[in-house]
Amino acid sequence: MQGYVLIEQDVAEKNRDVEQEAEQALIIEELIRLHEGVLARYGLRPSEFELWNVMAH
């Protein structure tokens, strides 16, 4: 749940009100689909992915 709060805070700081909900949904959708095969697309290292994966589950 803490991750959702961080996403909400970050999006609120950077976007107009009308865009916030859509951007939050997009970020959450991308995180759900995150896997080792797409790490380069996001500039992530395998160790960063592993840390996120452990913290998320």
Side-chain angles (χ1 to χ4, degrees):
M1 196 58 138
Q2 180 183 4
Y4 291 110
V5 172
L6 294 174
I7 291 169
E8 187 176 85
Q9 289 172 347
D10 189 55
V11 170
E13 291 174 4
K14 297 177 181 171
N15 292 295
R16 298 186 323 239
D17 289 340
V18 294
E19 298 173 340
Q20 289 180 16
E21 189 173 319
E23 184 156 340
Q24 288 174 25
L26 178 63
I27 291 169
I28 291 168
E29 183 178 318
E30 290 296 315
L31 287 171
I32 290 169
R33 291 190 282 166
L34 190 63
H35 59 85
E36 290 180 0
V38 297
L39 297 182
R41 176 188 301 170
Y42 298 105
L44 297 171
R45 295 182 182 101
S47 60
E48 293 170 319
F49 173 72
E50 185 61 34
L51 178 61
W52 172 82
N53 204 19
V54 167
M55 292 173 64
H57 296 100

